């Protein structure tokens, strides 16, 4: 992962505030050349700073308003194959490997309760999946955010938050 300096953090902060900010607008505000901003953004992109843009799309607008977290217990020796099969389930929009009694946590998006039931059954049918537990997402109470972390990174880099 890239080490971010004050200028990188300024660029990220501007993009966080307005993702449609132009390179020209950033260059003017930061008093840098357009080429400098473009080069910085290219480096940030190449080093994995930017997440895929599809993370900004809502499953609800695609017709999948129901979201749930499915805790999945698996046979550990088969984890790589199970993950590959889980990745082929289109309703799985994200999954994390966990420590503790649960092995995987999948976020799924479905049309309705019946679709969720069928999706859970499809996950359970993957050879090596031993159990699942489904928790309906009632609402996002803290959306994905990194603004607070940017403030911490700025302080750690010697700037002001």
């Amino acid at each position: 992962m890239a080490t971010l300096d004050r200028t990188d953090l300024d660029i990220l902060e501007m993009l966080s505030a307005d993702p449609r900010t132009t390179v020209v607008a950033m260059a003017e505000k930061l008093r840098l050349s357009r080429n400098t901003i473009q080069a910085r953004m290219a480096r940030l992109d190449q080093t994995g700073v930017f997440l895929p843009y599809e993370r900004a799309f809502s499953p609800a607008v695609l017709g999948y308003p129901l979201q749930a977290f499915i805790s999945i217990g698996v046979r550990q020796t088969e984890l790589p194959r199970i993950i590959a099969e889980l990745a082929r389930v289109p309703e799985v929009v994200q999954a994390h490997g966990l420590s503790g009694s649960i092995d995987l946590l999948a976020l799924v998006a479905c049309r309705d309760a019946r679709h969720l039931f069928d999706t859970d059954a499809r996950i359970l049918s993957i050879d090596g999946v031993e159990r699942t537990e489904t928790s309906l997402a009632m609402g996002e109470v803290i959306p994905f955010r990194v603004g607070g972390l940017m403030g911490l990174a700025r302080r750690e880099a010697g700037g002001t938050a």
Side-chain angles (χ1 to χ4, degrees), residues 11-77:
I11 290 169
L12 294 176
E13 193 168 52
M14 290 180 75
L15 288 170
S16 178
D18 181 3
R20 293 183 181 95
T21 298
T22 66
V23 170
V24 172
M26 285 190 280
E28 287 176 3
K29 183 167 182 170
L30 298 176
R31 296 188 174 125
L32 296 169
S33 74
R34 180 179 54 81
N35 288 340
T36 298
I37 298 294
Q38 285 178 320
R40 292 272 187 148
M41 289 186 62
R43 182 182 55 78
L44 292 169
D45 191 33
Q46 291 168 354
T47 57
V49 171
F50 298 119
L51 297 173
Y53 288 106
E54 72 178 317
R55 288 184 67 117
F57 303 151
S58 168
V61 301
L62 300 173
Y64 303 92
L66 184 68
Q67 292 191 355
F69 292 93
I70 300 180
S71 302
I72 306 168
V74 304
R75 287 193 300 263
Q76 288 292 313
T77 57

Side-chain angles (χ1 to χ4, degrees), residues 51-52 54-57 59 66-72 82-83 85-98 102-110 119 123 135 137 140 142-145:
L51 297 173
E54 72 178 317
R55 288 184 67 117
F57 303 151
L66 184 68
Q67 292 191 355
F69 292 93
I70 300 180
S71 302
I72 306 168
I82 293 167
I83 291 170
E85 288 189 42
L86 190 61
R88 288 194 286 274
V89 177
E91 292 86 354
V92 175
V93 296
Q94 187 176 28
H96 292 272
L98 303 178
I102 298 300
D103 301 305
L104 299 170
L105 181 65
L107 174 61
V108 300
C110 298
T119 300
I123 291 170
S135 298
E140 185 176 73
I142 300 175
F144 183 84
R145 63 200 178 134

